[in-house]
Structures are given as C-alpha cells and as structure tokens.
Amino acid sequence: MQTNEMLLLKLGEVVLKGLNRRSFEDKLVSNVRRRLKGCGSFQVYVRQSTIYVEPQSDACDMEAAYAAARQVFGVAAVARAVPCGKTVEAIVDTAQTYLADAFAQAHSFKVESKRADKAFPMTSIQLSQAVGGELAERFPNVTVDVHHPDLTVYVEIRETAAYVHAPSVPGAGGLPVGMGGRAVSLLSGGLDSPVSSWMMARRGVELEMVHFVSPPYTSQQAQDKVLELARLLTGYCGRMIVHIIPFTKIQEEIRRQCPEEYFTLIMRRFMMRLAQAVAKKAGAGALVTGESLGQVASQTMLALGVTEDVVSMPVLRPLIGMDKVEIIRIAREIGTYETSILPYEDCCTVFTPRHPATRPALEDVRAAEAALDVDALVAEALSGETWIRVKITDEPRI
C-alpha cells in the first residue's frame, strides 16, 4: 500500500442545499471524524464537494476506514486515492505504481480526468489523452479502450494536488445524521424495524430506540438479539440509546380484561403511548415504526388509524408502501438480516389473537380499552424503564 494513500468522499444530496449547505457539510465532516476515530488519526476536511480523509500515521487502518466511510450517511461515493504533483509525469508515475496490480489483471483501460482547478493548463480531454498515451507505453500488454475498458484510471486536478484512483464505490447516500431532527424508533427483533430505523437515519434523523420486554414470556436472548441489531445499526446511525421498557403487566391486563380480537391493537396503542413518553423526555419530534400497509392484521389502514389515535406527534412509517421482498433485500444489504431471523421471539408475538380484527372501529377499541387503568399501567411501565448506550461496532461494547 502507498504510504500516502488517502480517501476521497464524494458528497451526495448535500450539494443540492442552498444557503444552509455549509451546516450540512460541517455536520457530515463531524460525523466522518467520529466514525473514523477507531481507525486511527486522520485529517478530515471538505473542499469542492469532496471530503478529504488523510491518514496522519502509518498506524492508520485504511481498510477499516474505507469500510467505515461507506456507512456514513451523506457520502455518495468513496475512492481510495493517492495525491501527486499536478504534472503529466507525476500523474503517470503515480498511476503506474499505485495501480500496478490493477493493470496486471486488465486487458484494456482508459483514463478519465476532471479539472476542479480550472487554472490547470490542459483540458480534461487533453490530460486524459496525454496520461493515457504514456500509460499505454508503460503497459504495452494493456490496450486502450475508451468504450468498454477493464480498468478506468481516474485523475482529478484539484487546488493543491492531483489525485489518482481506480473506480469509486457507492457510499450510504442520504443526509448527515443529525440534520433531520430526532426521533424515537420502536425496535423489535424482526426484519422490519431495523430497516425502517436505517431508512430514517438515512434522511438525517438522529434516533433513540425503544424496545419492550415481557419476561417470562420473552427471553434474555430475545433482548440480546435486539441489542445486537441496535449495535449493527450504529455503523450507520452512530451511537445510540436503547430504552428497555417492561411490558408484561400491560399484556397480562389486556389478556385478562379485553376482547381477544383487540389484543394486538390495544397492545400497539400502549406501545405508542410509552414511545411518545420516551420521545418527549428525549426531546424527539416523531416516532418511527416498521409498519407496512396490509402486511399483518394490525397494519391495515383502519388498524393504523386506531394505534395512531393515542399519540400527538408524527408517526413516520418509511416501509409503508414496501413489500417483504424489498425489506429483506435492504436487511441483507445493511447486515441486519441474519440477526433478525434468529429464533428468539419478542413481546409482539405474546398472546397473539386467533382472529384479530382487521377492520376495527375506533369507538369499539376505545370502549374495550376503557376496562383498563391506562394511566397507571403506563406510569408503572415507565418506572421500570432502563436504558443501554450502544456504541459503534468497531468500538468496545459497554
């Protein structure tokens, strides 16, 4: 590896911002610095719609930094690059050394150049032709193919240096976490809620999680599974707090006093009340759920209206129009799928009704719920709340 190898992070949606673009860039740089902290000492700064990540010592773990940078929301693409002098000779020498392995495997190549520094005396096309011609002489077994090359050599002319790199890879996209407000996400052990949390974080939303436990009906393994899902999400979302709320008493009272067909709906209404209480305490402005329209009986349009009836803040449902195949695809991509399918069930599966109401009338559900001392049950559950701070995957766990 070249000792002066660095990373170039290309900005995504951030470049479309207007007068407040600087605040988005500053937040993104801060997030990148925090995410790379465990990979070594890096200088991180932004210029011309690109974040530069320069290692400050040979001890920096470039592989880990490369992987971590790809998970930072707001970064559209990541390239490993080497800076050099702004001359054709320096660029060719750097490409010959840095991309030697790539040239050894390629049968054809081309050069693509960009000039962010418009004072550079050659046009992009002229530079590509000059560099390509020199590289063709130095690698005579690799032909030039400007249409379908095996290898593309990228050259960028910027303010202080030229940069040579192979093709960049996609980043996480979206907006920097922290620029979209704060929300509380209801995190279960299933496939949906980790994906919905990831999708909202991708829109710049800072998250805290709420998870409900019902011992002895749910196990410690089920709780540990959810904490592992939260830990996997921190690679994208940053460190977070997971609020653990005891739910056994509420579920037992629902089973004892309410009609069976409304068990799940009334349970969801309590979850929403408790999540809103946590959100208000955390200064959050919305709730996030993994609900998808029509996926289960409690997620019909009427059922969603019934559960949302008990809260006053927005309920964000990023999966609402997605089918299970799409959700599973994203779960695989973000690395939560294998954990989500572990066979430890959470409280959502406790006391499931045999024939749940799919077209519930709000007045009927309210009447059924009136048999419960709602305020007392909510207060008791909140009094047993605990919280766990979950840290980024490459840092030690607490």
Side-chain angles (χ1 to χ4, degrees):
M1 185 193 76
Q2 296 282 329
T3 56
N4 60 339
E5 185 182 45
M6 59 177 295
L7 301 179
L8 299 177
L9 314 184
K10 307 297 184 177
L11 305 189
E13 274 187 73
V14 171
V15 301
L16 303 177
K17 299 300 176 183
L19 296 176
N20 61 345
R21 173 174 167 173
R22 179 62 181 272
S23 63
F24 280 82
E25 291 181 344
D26 290 346
K27 186 63 176 177
L28 181 52
V29 167
S30 174
N31 291 350
V32 170
R33 285 180 180 144
R34 186 180 301 110
R35 188 65 183 86
L36 299 187
K37 190 175 181 181
C39 305
S41 175
F42 293 88
Q43 183 181 7
V44 182
Y45 57 95
V46 62
R47 287 181 186 160
Q48 296 176 311
S49 301
T50 298
I51 292 178
Y52 297 73
V53 178
E54 298 178 356
Q56 299 300 289
S57 73
D58 292 339
C60 291
D61 188 339
M62 290 298 292
E63 290 291 342
Y66 180 64
R70 295 186 63 187
Q71 292 184 307
V72 178
F73 289 127
V75 175
V78 181
R80 299 173 75 149
V82 171
C84 61
K86 293 160 67 170
T87 65
V88 171
E89 182 180 7
I91 293 168
V92 171
D93 288 344
T94 300
Q96 180 181 9
T97 303
Y98 183 54
L99 301 178
D101 291 342
F103 270 103
Q105 298 176 23
H107 297 290
S108 59
F109 82 100
K110 73 172 181 177
V111 178
E112 282 193 12
S113 303
K114 293 182 180 179
R115 291 186 313 147
D117 176 11
K118 299 305 180 183
F120 187 73
M122 302 174 73
T123 67
S124 297
I125 293 177
Q126 289 171 338
L127 180 60
S128 295
Q129 291 173 337
V131 172
E134 290 286 338
L135 288 174
E137 291 185 6
R138 299 191 188 191
F139 295 98
N141 294 327
V142 185
T143 62
V144 175
D145 182 348
V146 297
H147 298 294
H148 304 288
D150 296 330
L151 171 66
T152 300
V153 178
Y154 291 89
V155 178
E156 299 188 31
I157 306 295
R158 294 183 171 270
E159 291 176 337
T160 60
Y163 297 86
V164 175
H165 62 87
S168 57
V169 296
L175 296 171
V177 171
M179 296 304 293
R182 181 190 293 260
V184 165
S185 183
L186 284 71
L187 183 65
S188 72
L191 287 160
D192 301 336
S193 58
V195 173
S196 65
S197 299
W198 177 86
M199 290 179 71
M200 292 315 306
R202 194 167 185 257
R203 301 312 303 156
V205 177
E206 185 177 356
L207 297 173
E208 291 193 18
M209 304 296 190
V210 169
H211 178 63
F212 302 95
V213 294
S214 296
Y217 307 108
T218 59
S219 65
Q220 182 61 44
Q221 291 97 321
Q223 178 176 317
D224 292 342
K225 170 185 173 181
V226 168
L227 292 177
E228 175 64 13
L229 288 171
R231 189 183 69 82
L232 292 170
L233 288 171
T234 58
Y236 297 95
C237 307
R239 62 184 66 189
M240 66 179 69
I241 291 174
V242 180
H243 299 261
I244 309 294
I245 298 181
F247 208 60
T248 307
K249 177 71 174 293
I250 290 173
Q251 288 190 288
E252 289 179 337
E253 287 298 302
I254 293 172
R255 181 178 63 169
R256 189 169 68 87
Q257 301 194 55
C258 300
E260 182 182 353
E261 65 265 29
Y262 296 142
F263 280 180
T264 301
L265 286 172
I266 295 175
M267 178 192 74
R268 293 290 298 175
R269 283 163 67 89
F270 271 95
M271 288 180 171
M272 300 294 271
R273 290 185 180 101
L274 292 165
Q276 179 170 262
V278 171
K280 288 181 177 179
K281 186 167 57 176
L287 304 179
V288 178
T289 76
E291 293 161 316
S292 173
L293 188 62
Q295 183 169 238
V296 293
S298 63
Q299 295 176 20
T300 64
M301 192 176 297
L302 288 174
L304 293 176
V306 167
T307 57
E308 192 173 295
D309 169 63
V310 297
V311 295
S312 58
M313 61 176 52
V315 179
L316 308 177
R317 298 182 173 98
L319 308 186
I320 196 67
M322 298 177 66
D323 63 32
K324 207 65 176 184
V325 172
E326 294 173 290
I327 295 167
I328 289 172
R329 176 183 59 79
I330 296 175
R332 290 184 186 277
E333 289 176 358
I334 66 178
T336 58
Y337 176 80
E338 295 298 333
T339 301
S340 288
I341 63 173
L342 292 175
Y344 305 120
E345 297 182 330
D346 54 40
C347 67
C348 294
T349 59
V350 176
F351 310 144
T352 302
R354 289 166 295 179
H355 303 289
T358 58
R359 298 180 61 82
L362 178 57
E363 295 77 12
D364 293 341
V365 177
R366 285 175 174 172
E369 193 179 68
L372 304 171
D373 189 342
V374 172
D375 293 341
L377 288 170
V378 168
E380 183 176 348
L382 290 173
S383 69
E385 174 196 352
T386 58
W387 60 268
I388 299 173
R389 188 179 296 276
V390 183
K391 301 183 74 175
I392 293 172
T393 38
D394 56 8
E395 296 181 356
R397 301 192 205 181
I398 289 181

